[in-house]
Structure formats: C-alpha cells, structure tokens
Amino acid sequence: MKSTANKQPRLLPDVSLPEGKQRTQGSLWTPEELLVTLAAYLEMLRLEQRGEAYSKAEHRRKLLEGVLLGRTAASVEFRMQNISAVLLSIGQPYLKGYAPARNVGAKVIAQILEFLAELDPELPIELRRQAPAPTVPPPGNPHPKKREVTLSTYERDPEVVAFVLNRAQGICECCGRNAPFLSKNGQPFLEVHHVEALALDGPDTPQNCAAICPNCHQEAHYGMRSAEIQRELQEFLAALYNQS
Ligand SMILES: [Zn+2]
Ligand SMILES: [Zn+2]
C-alpha cells in the first residue's frame, strides 16, 4: 500500500507498471482515463500552489470509483508520478507529493503532453517549449499532418449556455465590462465557463457557469490569478442564487 503518509524523498518503486514492459491492450489507458487523472492532478497542484489543503487519497478514491474503476491505486500513483516527471522535464511546477517517476517512456510523455494540451488548450504552447525559443524564424510546417484524436468530452446542455448568456446580458460576469465584440450572429461575444471544471465533476448548471469575456476566460484558466478568479466567480454565483 502506498499511501500519502510515507515520505520517500525520491521515487516510490513501482513494480506494478514498469513502463519498459509491453502492456496488454486491455491495460492501456484510455484518453478519458488519462484526462481525468490529469484533471485531478492539476486541481491538486492548484490547491497546493494556493497553500490549501488537499487529500491525495481522496482524489485517488474519486478517480477509482469513477472513470478509473478497476484500476489499482498503485497504477494511479504511478500515472501521477509520470505527470510529475513530464512537468518537471518542461520546467513546470509539479506536485511534491508525487516524486517524478523515472523510466517514463517517450510515448507516455508525448501522450501526457498531448492530453495536457487537450485539457488545457492554452497550455501546450508553454509546455512544449522545452528548449529556449529559437532566435531565427523556424520553418514551421506548410502542410501540418492531420492527426486523429479520440477524445471524450462532456455533453453540455445548450439551454444552460443560452440561459447563462442571457443572464449576463452582454456584460462579463467576471470583470463587468461589455463583451469585446459582437459574434457573427450579432450577439455580444461571451464564453460560458464552468467555475468548477466538468473534468473535476463540476455540474453543468447555471449555478456553476459564468458568462465571461475571452480575456477573463483565458485568465481564469491560465493566469496567475486563476484561483482568485475562481473564488470571485464562486462568490458571485453563490450570491446570485442563494439570496432568493
Ligand atoms: Zn471579463
Ligand atoms: Zn472555462
């Protein structure tokens, strides 16, 4: 049993999932499994960076009772350590509680980066910058290859989107400014953001959604003030719906 209690400075030896070994088809992680694990990891990272308490065991339990049903606790731990290793390798902060696992296969690294990108569309630009930015313009690729990605996403209720946009009346529920432009249909352009992410089991309800401008939206996901914004939006929505 690996628990959060044991403090091993380096790696937890993981005998259950040696990356070098060929695994059977059935044990390959699906995109959804990796996504929810990443989401849980990033949530814990956010809490750690905020200095707030969180429970690794609790997050793990939620994963194992949900999408990762049937996986072992050890395999979840190992994935978490893989994620630490990837974040470390690209100079990003990682959870100290998950010592970066060595021997992460190149494929697994690529997969984690790819799904970090899926989860966090803005992240890859930063994340993929493993080397300093080139000083001469790179050639790029005139014909980027098309890539098939199987991805599970969450169904969103269009009525919730419509309701929340109508509630905002064209004014960002985060910064209070007018939507920056009109969409092609002539409506003020705002984006409906889930304050508690769907990937973290946040509900798709008006009480968990805010119509915010693209700037605020990006900042809510990727800015230094992301935690602060989340708190503000939570307070805003609580005030809106608890008063009645
Ligand atoms: Zn805004
Ligand atoms: Zn969002």
Side-chain angles (χ1 to χ4, degrees):
M1 279 277 186
K2 292 178 184 106
S3 78
T4 53
N6 68 9
K7 282 203 192 94
Q8 278 166 296
R10 296 288 304 188
L11 336 158
L12 302 171
D14 191 292
V15 287
S16 61
L17 281 173
E19 281 304 311
K21 272 200 185 140
Q22 202 56 45
R23 298 156 77 205
T24 59
Q25 188 62 29
S27 72
L28 292 175
W29 279 44
T30 65
E32 192 188 14
E33 288 180 311
L34 197 50
L35 265 177
V36 295
T37 307
L38 276 169
Y41 186 103
L42 295 175
E43 169 66 8
M44 287 189 279
L45 186 59
R46 202 188 311 156
L47 291 168
E48 183 170 279
Q49 289 177 330
R50 274 190 227 162
E52 288 178 28
Y54 64 92
S55 161
K56 286 167 63 179
E58 180 63 17
H59 277 84
R60 190 175 52 214
R61 189 188 56 76
K62 254 175 129 178
L63 289 168
L64 288 170
E65 285 175 359
V67 175
L68 300 186
L69 196 70
R71 296 282 175 192
T72 64
S75 73
V76 178
E77 290 292 296
F78 190 68
R79 273 299 168 229
M80 295 293 190
Q81 292 183 278
N82 285 172
I83 296 167
S84 287
V86 171
L87 290 171
L88 175 66
S89 75
I90 54 179
Q92 295 288 315
Y94 65 92
L95 279 174
K96 301 293 175 281
Y98 292 109
R102 284 184 194 136
N103 309 324
V104 189
K107 267 190 196 155
V108 174
I109 292 173
Q111 204 184 25
I112 288 173
L113 279 174
E114 183 182 318
F115 288 114
L116 266 171
E118 306 287 352
L119 194 67
D120 222 344
E122 203 72 354
L123 215 50
I125 301 162
E126 292 295 324
L127 284 178
R128 286 181 186 150
R129 195 173 291 150
Q130 301 191 38
T135 50
V136 294
N141 188 348
H143 304 290
K145 251 205 242 149
K146 201 170 180 178
R147 187 169 52 86
E148 300 282 338
V149 176
T150 313
L151 177 66
S152 13
T153 59
Y154 295 84
E155 253 176 50
R156 299 185 54 171
D157 185 344
E159 296 216 309
V160 170
V161 173
F163 176 87
V164 172
L165 288 174
N166 186 56
R167 184 182 72 200
Q169 289 293 302
I171 295 166
C172 173
E173 293 182 324
C174 185
C175 68
R177 298 195 184 94
N178 285 323
F181 58 88
L182 299 179
S183 355
K184 287 181 176 168
N185 65 10
Q187 296 300 306
F189 186 90
L190 291 175
E191 297 172 331
V192 175
H193 167 67
H194 290 87
V195 178
E196 183 78 29
L198 295 178
L200 298 172
D201 292 334
D204 186 31
T205 60
Q207 291 81 356
N208 187 43
C209 285
I212 61 182
C213 71
N215 269 2
C216 285
H217 198 190
Q218 295 297 310
E219 192 178 4
H221 283 274
Y222 313 114
M224 269 178 66
R225 292 184 56 245
S226 129
E228 208 176 305
I229 289 174
Q230 186 181 31
R231 223 169 11 244
E232 285 169 11
L233 289 173
Q234 276 164 345
E235 283 166 13
F236 164 75
L237 290 167
L240 199 58
Y241 288 102
N242 294 343
Q243 267 173 359
S244 51

